Amino acid sequence: MRLDINKARGTWWTISAIIILIGMISMVISSLNPSIKAPLRPSLDFIGGTRLQLVRDCSKPGNCDQPIDINVVREVAKSQGLGDSSIQLISENGQENGITIRTKNLETEQRSNLQSSLTEKIGAFDPQKNQIDSVGATLGKELFTSGVLALIVSFIGITIYMAVRFQWDYAVFAIVALFHDILITTGVFSILGLVFGVEVDSLFIVALLTITGFSVNDTVVIYDRIRETIELHPGQPIAEVVDDAVNQTLTRSINTTLTVLLTLSAIFFFGGETLHNFSLALIVGFTMGAYSSIFIASTLLIWWRERSQSYPVEPPISSPES
């Protein structure tokens, strides 16, 4: 089956625009949310503070009979002078038997007092499942700054590479496709942060850097085939050239993406909570990377070359035989 991407390019652009717009609206709402105050819900890695994850010990008789009332947890936090804390229920064995509290930096005594008060109200906690993390605000800012700087440097490097290897318009549309992938991935996590309280940490920045590498690699493969076809058939319409290049590399793109997604899915389901959001970001980003390479970067190149009249739009008319 032959894929004719140029005829439906308006559809591909519309789909991407809608997804990006929804994500941007979510980021605006998230920024206005007093409990988040950022486009994405930041973890302690970026804002600093203390995170307590406490899980009830269900091996004790009657300890988990009643569900945790989050309002009771808020009242306890308020009584400890932590009324502005972010509090969420977490699932344990299919039931919400745990809580996550993200608050300002707490001393050891403050943590013990908070945990003791919560134990009295909602039940005893399992010390083997409890987690307490602390990050200084200065370190959080440094991590955020370093992550953003790494993204900017990677974009600059990719632009220079594409401009040298191909031409400047190839480079521009490859970067547009990368922004497309990054915006959709961040938009998805903004929605997840609003609806499910999903936080982004330093591994999210690593995921974005990995996504840029994967996406540009897929785009380079297609652009390379486009360049080869143009050199062999300089008079062929650019739409036909790009369609041929996409169809010739389509099987490779699909196989590569599916193979990676299978591995990432295994990490997502069995890799543990630490890698859960990291693998999810990669799944979203790699899927969008394959999509943008085929349907965004390629169709934008067709649009630009036809608009600039660098190549004929219609097939050339052969001269009559003499």
Side-chain angles (χ1 to χ4, degrees):
M1 184 181 75
R2 179 181 173 81
L3 184 64
D4 192 349
I5 63 167
N6 186 52
K7 287 185 178 180
R9 67 188 184 190
T11 302
W12 315 132
W13 297 349
T14 302
I15 292 172
S16 294
I18 292 173
I19 297 174
I20 291 173
L21 180 61
I22 293 173
M24 293 182 70
I25 291 173
S26 174
M27 285 188 272
V28 172
I29 295 174
S30 181
S31 298
L32 298 176
N33 190 317
S35 65
I36 303 177
K37 298 179 181 179
L40 304 174
R41 186 183 289 271
S43 70
L44 294 183
D45 286 4
F46 296 129
I47 62 175
T50 299
R51 181 180 70 92
L52 296 91
Q53 180 171 300
L54 307 173
V55 180
R56 291 194 299 191
D57 187 356
C58 294
S59 63
K60 293 185 177 182
N63 196 49
C64 299
D65 289 348
Q66 298 296 325
I68 296 177
D69 188 343
I70 195 170
N71 293 320
V72 172
V73 179
R74 290 195 177 103
E75 289 176 3
V76 172
K78 189 175 181 179
S79 67
Q80 299 283 324
L82 307 173
D84 58 348
S85 303
S86 173
I87 301 172
Q88 295 175 316
L89 298 179
I90 58 174
S91 296
E92 174 71 13
N93 297 324
Q95 296 181 343
E96 291 182 333
N97 284 320
I99 55 174
T100 296
I101 301 175
R102 190 178 65 182
T103 185
K104 62 184 180 182
N105 281 315
L106 301 178
E107 300 295 333
T108 304
E109 184 178 354
Q110 291 175 299
R111 298 175 192 168
S112 299
N113 292 337
L114 177 59
Q115 186 169 342
S116 298
S117 299
L118 289 170
T119 299
E120 293 177 3
K121 294 291 185 179
I122 63 176
F125 298 107
D126 187 344
Q128 295 183 349
K129 296 180 179 179
N130 295 342
Q131 297 179 16
I132 300 177
D133 305 309
S134 293
V135 177
T138 302
L139 178 59
K141 291 179 180 178
E142 290 178 356
L143 285 171
F144 178 77
T145 303
S146 300
V148 172
L149 181 61
L151 276 174
I152 293 173
V153 170
S154 67
F155 273 103
I156 294 174
I158 290 170
T159 303
I160 295 173
Y161 169 78
M162 295 293 290
V164 171
R165 178 167 179 177
F166 298 100
Q167 297 177 22
W168 71 267
D169 52 355
Y170 286 85
V172 168
F173 297 130
I175 292 299
V176 170
L178 287 181
F179 272 112
H180 168 277
D181 305 336
I182 297 299
L183 281 174
I184 289 181
T185 304
T186 53
V188 168
F189 270 77
S190 176
I191 295 171
L192 293 175
L194 276 176
V195 179
F196 301 107
V198 174
E199 299 176 347
V200 296
D201 54 16
S202 55
L203 281 179
F204 184 74
I205 301 294
V206 176
L208 294 183
L209 290 168
T210 309
I211 290 167
T212 59
F214 178 86
S215 179
V216 77
N217 176 69
D218 219 19
T219 304
V220 165
V221 171
I222 295 175
Y223 277 178
D224 217 20
R225 189 58 58 89
I226 291 172
R227 184 179 60 178
E228 292 174 358
T229 306
I230 289 175
E231 291 176 354
L232 292 174
H233 307 285
Q236 188 176 1
I238 188 63
E240 292 185 6
V241 170
V242 173
D243 277 348
D244 288 342
V246 168
N247 280 278
Q248 290 170 18
T249 58
L250 187 61
T251 301
R252 175 210 174 272
S253 297
I254 293 175
N255 289 341
T256 302
T257 304
L258 286 179
T259 302
V260 175
L261 290 180
L262 286 173
T263 305
L264 291 175
S265 297
I267 297 175
F268 178 79
F269 288 110
F270 308 111
E273 187 176 350
T274 305
L275 297 175
H276 190 79
N277 291 340
F278 174 70
S279 56
L280 178 59
L282 291 180
I283 289 172
V284 175
F286 283 14
T287 302
M288 289 299 102
Y291 175 86
S292 66
S293 298
I294 297 171
F295 299 108
I296 303 300
S298 301
T299 54
L300 284 174
L301 184 64
I302 296 173
W303 170 80
W304 174 254
R305 290 294 178 94
E306 290 180 345
R307 185 181 178 87
S308 63
Q309 297 181 348
S310 299
Y311 291 88
V313 177
E314 299 295 334
I317 301 175
S318 58
S319 57
E321 295 181 1
S322 55

